[in-house]
Amino acid sequence: MRRLERIVLGMLLAAAAAAASAAEVRLGELLGETDTAGFLRAETPRPFRFPDDHGPHPRYRSEWWYLTASLESASGEAFGVQFTLFRQALRPAPVFESPWDASQVYLAHLAITDVAGGRHLEAERLARAHPRLAGVEAAPFRAHLDGWELAADRPDLQALTLSGTAERFAVRLRLNPVKPVVLQGNDGLSPKGPGQASYYYSIPRLAVTGEVRVDGRSRAVTGRAWLDREWSTSVLGEQQSGWDWFALQLDDGADVMMFRLRNDTGLRDPYDQGLWVDPDGLGHPLRVPDFRLEPLRYWQDPDGVRWPVAWKASVMTPQGPRRFQIHAALDDQRMDTLIRYWEGMVRVVDDDGRRIGTGYMELTGYD
């Protein structure tokens, strides 16, 4: 029986790999350009219901649970941690009600940036949905894939634990929200273009304690994290190649998310957006006139792709204009995974080069 089970699991994983390999071709094939018939779409604002919305929305084609953390050891060593669990529906509804229906594919990325060691390590796991393989439950919250897990003891996402082990690194972190959930875009509806949108909310700041291990050496760490939730059926249009996304946590207690969409015209996309979150947790939407992002420096990877790893930013906040720069903690934080993208820890500095915050940057579609 165990041998039969292993054969079945192997067949399912092989099929999942074949389905996901299209992501190597173009990001838009996952996020907007393939057949969407029968799936629900993000079209109008909706009421969010927690804890239910922490769980999966299988009638929408794509979904992700995304956590990043900026951490420091007692001796001042800096580390970044990323965990992302992607869900991709292969059909709008299950063929039959069974854990083995396998109409949902889960893909997980776990990565660590060791700044002092000058290295960025990533790992990837893939499986069809099944209670013993991969999936997400809302209450109590649990998002897992093959031993990697983000889970909470309580429905309000208090007492979260992230645990995962890869070949060269491992993380075990405890996280508690410092700020409440904030809705992105228009009351949680985040438009990306005509007929393109997602449902999107964030917990912009969580307090973190725990341990990281790199190449057999463990360090106790503390810091702060950002949690994103997003689901949709169509996000990118045919004219859009990718995005530059930032989640920044400033030392004065404010947080900001900004992204710019890159389109074929080379002009500013009218659907660029962001959110400024005051220290007390109140969110203020940012529209195109409210912020600007300009690349300052590029890093060229071994394949010849140029990634913008330093930026100049200006934001109009409720308290007035803010200007700062964003610099990659390491230039090479490229994710060499099925979907190739740049995802890594950044430092936020003022015009005099003094640190005023930390965060994460995501760059997609450059290759």
Side-chain angles (χ1 to χ4, degrees):
M1 189 65 185
R2 286 188 175 276
R3 182 174 181 274
L4 177 61
E5 183 181 62
R6 286 196 297 270
I7 292 172
V8 172
L9 292 179
M11 292 171 62
L12 289 174
L13 289 173
S21 65
E24 296 177 321
V25 178
R26 194 167 187 272
L27 183 69
E29 294 181 7
L30 281 179
L31 299 179
E33 295 173 9
T34 55
D35 183 22
T36 60
F39 289 101
L40 298 180
R41 300 179 65 90
E43 296 177 323
T44 60
R46 65 184 287 280
F48 286 78
R49 298 181 176 87
F50 301 112
D52 290 354
D53 281 328
H54 297 319
H57 301 79
R59 294 296 308 279
Y60 295 82
R61 194 179 59 169
S62 302
E63 186 165 16
W64 51 85
W65 295 256
Y66 169 88
L67 180 78
T68 58
S70 302
L71 309 171
E72 196 171 274
S73 70
S75 61
E77 297 169 289
F79 295 90
V81 170
Q82 173 209 350
F83 171 73
T84 310
L85 183 64
F86 303 92
R87 179 194 60 78
Q88 186 79 5
L90 303 183
R91 60 179 71 93
V95 175
F96 54 90
E97 296 297 330
S98 166
W100 293 101
D101 172 72
S103 61
Q104 306 288 328
V105 174
Y106 282 88
L107 174 71
H109 291 167
L110 184 66
I112 189 165
T113 300
D114 175 7
V115 178
R119 53 195 167 181
H120 174 263
L121 304 172
E122 73 280 328
E124 180 175 52
R125 293 182 180 178
L126 176 71
R128 293 289 185 105
H130 184 273
R132 294 182 58 182
L133 296 175
V136 180
E137 296 89 45
F141 174 74
R142 180 175 180 246
H144 68 100
L145 196 160
D146 193 19
W148 296 350
E149 181 179 83
L150 179 65
D153 293 338
R154 292 165 46 182
D156 55 4
L157 294 192
Q158 296 289 334
L160 275 165
T161 300
L162 173 66
S163 57
T165 300
E167 182 178 355
R168 295 183 56 190
F169 66 95
V171 300
R172 184 166 182 83
L173 304 178
R174 294 173 293 278
L175 311 101
N176 279 285
V178 175
K179 293 185 179 180
V181 167
V182 291
L183 302 182
Q184 302 282 3
N186 177 21
D187 293 329
L189 178 72
S190 177
K192 308 297 196 300
Q196 317 287 333
S198 66
Y199 292 118
Y200 182 8
Y201 70 86
S202 307
I203 300 178
R205 190 172 292 227
L206 302 93
V208 185
T209 60
E211 181 182 53
V212 299
R213 187 176 78 245
V214 182
D215 287 338
R217 184 183 174 194
S218 296
R219 286 90 152 180
V221 291
T222 60
R224 51 203 183 198
W226 182 293
L227 178 66
D228 258 5
R229 286 282 294 109
E230 197 163 4
W231 62 94
S232 69
T233 289
S234 185
V235 175
L236 294 183
E238 291 184 7
Q239 78 284 0
Q240 294 168 325
S241 60
W243 61 77
D244 307 312
W245 174 94
F246 304 83
L248 310 175
Q249 297 164 316
L250 305 185
D251 295 341
D252 64 7
D255 305 299
V256 58
M257 186 283 296
M258 301 175 287
F259 66 77
R260 66 171 205 167
L261 298 163
R262 297 194 316 283
N263 57 51
D264 294 341
T265 69
L267 302 175
R268 183 80 186 267
D269 195 292
Y271 289 90
D272 292 357
Q273 62 194 263
L275 187 74
W276 180 270
V277 185
D278 290 338
D280 61 5
L282 182 62
H284 306 274
L286 301 174
R287 309 304 181 198
V288 168
D290 300 324
F291 71 98
R292 188 169 185 83
L293 293 159
E294 299 177 51
L296 292 175
R297 186 173 64 84
Y298 288 80
W299 167 71
Q300 183 168 300
D301 70 17
D303 298 321
V305 179
R306 297 175 72 243
W307 305 86
V309 293
W311 296 75
K312 180 169 63 175
S314 58
V315 185
M316 179 56 68
T317 79
Q319 294 76 36
R322 294 285 299 269
R323 296 186 352 187
F324 47 83
Q325 294 182 15
I326 304 161
H327 294 269
L330 292 178
D331 283 359
D332 184 0
Q333 297 183 76
R334 187 182 72 169
M335 297 289 292
D336 293 323
T337 49
L338 281 174
I339 308 168
R340 180 166 290 180
Y341 60 106
W342 195 105
E343 179 88 38
M345 184 181 176
V346 297
R347 295 190 177 104
V348 186
V349 301
D350 63 16
D351 289 338
D352 295 322
R354 294 173 298 207
R355 176 191 135 156
I356 60 170
T358 57
Y360 254 71
M361 174 170 70
E362 181 175 272
L363 312 171
T364 70
Y366 279 89
D367 58 347

